[in-house]
Amino acid sequence: MIFIQINMQHTLLIVPGLGDSTTGHWQDNWLHHFPNAKKVVQNNWNQPQLKDWLSNLDATIKSIETPIIIVAHSLAVSLVAHWSQQNDSSKIAGALLVAPADVESAVHTPEETWNFAPIPLDKLKYSSIVITSSNDPYISAERAEFLAQKWGSLFYNVGPKGHLNLDSQLGLWEEGQEILQTLLQLITKN
């Protein structure tokens, strides 16, 4: 098993998507594995409202004093794109944007997520990596790569692993930790 040493000057901010990342999800595993990890908690995980989720994300970011590395999953990727467009993102050192959900597609996402559309396409002001799977039911690999290009993010397609969620049974997701290490190297260079 690979255990990446996250520089302790950063806070790893876990930002789950629809339904939360509960016990057994790699995000929950990272939350408990990395001593410098913190999680954004939403009031309603199953009927998300962009305005409320933005408010909770913003409050959490403001409560952290160290530079932040965002680790967002699924719907939270759109949330982070919205937040970054509307707020001062100078505290954000970088972001791992995992399995973005295409909230603009009725084919790919449930109706309760559509209020997060349209997905902002502005270039992010911090280093970022978008990770997708070749058979993610919530987005096509081509669409995920398009988002990565628009945001100025590196792009990884990790092959057929579903939505990179609890069903994917990733454990501590060593591959994701390796990609996180790549992000840390990007941050160091910038």
Side-chain angles (χ1 to χ4, degrees), residues 13 15 38 40 55-66 68 70 80 83 88-89 91-92:
L13 184 59
V15 191
K38 186 171 181 166
V40 175
S55 177
N56 288 332
L57 175 59
D58 192 53
T60 305
I61 287 171
K62 285 180 176 166
S63 75
I64 297 171
E65 296 184 13
T66 58
I68 296 166
I70 291 174
V80 168
W83 181 88
D88 172 14
S89 61
K91 285 175 93 170
I92 310 303

Side-chain angles (χ1 to χ4, degrees), residues 2 12 16 20 28 51 80 84-85 97 99 101 106 109 120 123 139 153-154 159 161:
I2 295 168
L12 205 61
D20 194 4
D28 190 63
K51 181 175 166 250
V80 168
S84 299
Q85 182 178 282
L97 305 170
T109 53
K123 187 176 187 304
I139 196 166
S153 308
L154 287 183
K161 295 182 181 165

Side-chain angles (χ1 to χ4, degrees), residues 34-137:
F34 293 112
N36 55 328
K38 186 171 181 166
K39 176 180 171 179
V40 175
V41 178
Q42 300 295 352
N43 299 326
N44 190 335
W45 288 109
N46 298 315
Q47 296 296 322
Q49 294 301 310
L50 178 58
K51 181 175 166 250
D52 297 338
W53 279 39
L54 280 169
S55 177
N56 288 332
L57 175 59
D58 192 53
T60 305
I61 287 171
K62 285 180 176 166
S63 75
I64 297 171
E65 296 184 13
T66 58
I68 296 166
I69 296 172
I70 291 174
V71 179
H73 180 260
S74 192
L75 182 61
V77 173
S78 291
L79 172 68
V80 168
H82 281 284
W83 181 88
S84 299
Q85 182 178 282
Q86 301 170 17
N87 296 276
D88 172 14
S89 61
S90 58
K91 285 175 93 170
I92 310 303
L96 205 61
L97 305 170
V98 181
D102 190 356
V103 296
E104 296 176 23
S105 169
V107 172
H108 287 102
T109 53
E111 187 174 350
E112 58 266 32
T113 65
W114 298 346
N115 72 92
F116 282 65
I119 300 170
L121 299 176
D122 295 354
K123 187 176 187 304
L124 299 173
K125 295 183 173 93
Y126 45 80
S127 298
S128 58
I129 297 177
V130 171
I131 305 173
T132 198
S133 154
S134 60
N135 64 343
D136 189 328

